[in-house]
Amino acid sequence: VQLVESGGGLVQPGGSLRLSCATSGFNFRNYDMAWVRQAPGKGPEWVSAINSGGVIKKYADSVKGRFTISRDNAKSIVTLQMDMMKPEDTGVYYCAGDFHWYEVISGRPVQRTDFDLWGHGTQVTVSS
């Protein structure tokens, strides 16, 4: 099983980045997927989730209206388009899957152990 994130980097406030997560080794189309981020010195924060069919999308209040999640089940890829970025969006972004949907999107603090599928992460830094 592999989840490989890419697309991170340094961006100025107000700028955009597009993260991608290429997956293999499991039946991607059967799994809800999510993006989770972790800022320096803080615990993981759920950012967005998309159901297995790509129809239902949820966002944390902190990114609603600025981030867009999508997936391509034919290519086993999930993406996160991040626009109007803010310094507080800085952190390591992880692609994750196989989790209890309503627990993760409830807004309660999440942990690495909430997800059975987890990528290696990609660094995103928003700074002028």
Side-chain angles (χ1 to χ4, degrees):
V1 173
Q2 284 194 314
L3 291 83
V4 180
E5 301 93 336
S6 62
L10 174 64
V11 63
Q12 292 187 342
S16 298
L17 282 176
R18 184 176 180 87
L19 306 183
S20 291
C21 174
T23 74
S24 62
F26 64 102
N27 198 343
F28 178 80
R29 64 180 67 245
N30 288 350
Y31 287 86
D32 302 332
M33 297 297 294
W35 286 94
V36 179
R37 68 187 180 189
Q38 187 162 12
K42 296 186 177 180
E45 176 191 15
W46 166 72
V47 173
S48 182
I50 186 168
N51 77 326
S52 59
V55 175
I56 301 173
K57 304 176 183 182
K58 297 291 185 182
Y59 301 93
D61 288 343
S62 59
V63 306
K64 199 171 293 183
R66 300 188 297 120
F67 290 11
T68 304
I69 192 170
S70 61
R71 66 189 293 159
D72 184 335
N73 282 349
K75 297 181 178 178
S76 299
I77 292 174
V78 58
T79 62
L80 185 69
Q81 176 67 40
M82 304 186 292
D83 299 314
M84 296 179 286
M85 298 186 72
K86 304 176 181 180
E88 50 263 44
D89 294 324
T90 294
V92 179
Y93 283 68
Y94 298 92
C95 172
D98 196 5
F99 53 92
H100 293 287
W101 178 270
Y102 289 105
E103 288 188 10
V104 167
I105 70 168
S106 67
R108 68 155 175 79
V110 297
Q111 304 177 57
R112 164 65 181 89
T113 52
D114 287 322
F115 305 86
D116 285 339
L117 300 170
W118 190 262
H120 64 84
T122 186
Q123 176 69 46
V124 170
T125 302
V126 185
S127 176
S128 54

